[in-house]
Amino acid sequence: MAINFNGRVAIVTGAGGGLGRQHALALAARGAKVLVNDLGSGVHGEGGSTSAAQAVVDEIRAAGGEALANGASVTDLAAVEAMVQQAVDAWGRVDILVNNAGILRDKSFAKMDMADFRFVVDVHLMGAANCCKAVWPHMVAQEYGRIVMTTSSTGLYGNFGQANYGAAKLAQVGLMQTLAIEGAKHHIHVNALAPTAATRMTEGLMPEEVLAVLKPEAVVPAMLVLAHESAPTRTILCAGAGTFEAAHITLTQGIHLGLGADVPEQLAARLAEVTDRSGEQIPQSGAAQGTNEVGKAMAARV
Ligand SMILES: NC(=O)c1ccc[n+]([C@@H]2O[C@H](COP(=O)([O-])OP(=O)(O)OC[C@H]3O[C@@H](n4cnc5c(N)ncnc54)[C@H](O)[C@@H]3O)[C@@H](O)[C@H]2O)c1
């Protein structure tokens, strides 16, 4: 099956450089009309100009594609709504949203300024939420949508110096889980991508020979699959250097201990059974946890 996006309209945030630029170029090369958003900031979120987005638009047009530039900050809901309207006015719909915009403000938690923590959460979490909120009514009305969140291995598993970033990135997975459930009946699929790529964001973090294999282009196929008509929903795809993995949030079978006075001691003694992964499930919704707990409590009554 060829993956093409003929007739589709995509918005890619933070697409003036790095991964977002590659996402926008690839979607356009495969037929999508692409709104290229970027506020043109530095890696820490400072400054701003639309020239980065415009350069990518020029590149798409030079290759025969259709694109528009937008300089909104994803943190500004009114500007994001205007951005979505810009795409709708030009092309009549929005099929795909790739929430890619992001910044870093790394420091160990002990030294981290809470204003920086809040700013990172604002760009990654509120930025993604603003964009989802603005495209949502259009996707519901047209009974079709594909949303790709950009999470991170830091959010999924942690990395030293990135408490703010990790919290904000896993929050996008939380947003994905419920939007996928609420969007299902409207054929809106919501997925998350955890990329590894050498961009200005990773400069100085890894040695040169490692950065050389981590081309941003190598992540793009995962985004294309998650943005396509045939996309799954509620999937966390990891991608880097041409390797693709999936991350899962699972629930173990657990054990029922009831309400006795010594439950803390029993739980401490049997913690290995609680965390044992045999028979674990990937819940279809948060209800699965309660169902498992109530089911075990009911079974213990007889
Ligand atoms: N590079 C990696 O290894 C890696 C790993 C995990 C996650 N990510 C995520 O992938 C995404 C892309 O990162 P990248 O590595 O290409 O970095 P990058 O810095 O090259 O790209 C981020 C882009 O977002 C733009 N941006 C920042 N704040 C914005 C705002 N408020 N509104 C609109 N645009 C804004 C920047 O101007 C920049 O062009 C980010 O969400 C990042 O957190 C990257």
Side-chain angles (χ1 to χ4, degrees), residues 33-45:
K33 301 175 182 84
V34 184
L35 186 141
V36 178
N37 159 269
D38 204 301
L39 116 153
S41 77
V43 74
H44 306 295

Side-chain angles (χ1 to χ4, degrees), residues 14 19 37-39 41 73-74 100 102 150 165 169 195 197 199-200:
L19 284 160
N37 159 269
D38 204 301
L39 116 153
S41 77
S73 170
V74 292
N100 168 81
T150 307
Y165 179 76
K169 282 310 211 184
T199 65
R200 65 181 193 171

Side-chain angles (χ1 to χ4, degrees), residues 85-172:
Q85 199 53 51
Q86 184 187 354
V88 171
D89 287 346
W91 298 315
R93 54 193 292 122
V94 178
D95 300 290
I96 297 161
L97 167 66
V98 182
N99 282 313
N100 168 81
I103 57 157
L104 290 177
R105 298 249 168 127
D106 291 1
K107 272 202 178 114
S108 67
F109 192 60
K111 294 183 184 146
M112 192 173 281
D113 180 345
M114 290 314 281
D116 282 347
F117 196 112
R118 190 176 292 276
F119 188 54
V120 167
V121 169
D122 201 31
V123 172
H124 289 279
L125 171 57
M126 292 314 298
N130 286 339
C131 293
C132 290
K133 182 73 182 166
V135 298
W136 200 256
H138 298 281
M139 290 183 172
V140 168
Q142 73 200 12
E143 290 284 318
Y144 183 87
R146 296 289 179 264
I147 296 177
V148 181
M149 308 289 182
T150 307
T151 184
S152 163
S153 57
T154 296
L156 295 166
Y157 312 113
N159 266 323
F160 191 93
Q162 296 196 311
N164 50 5
Y165 179 76
K169 282 310 211 184
L170 196 60
Q172 284 199 42

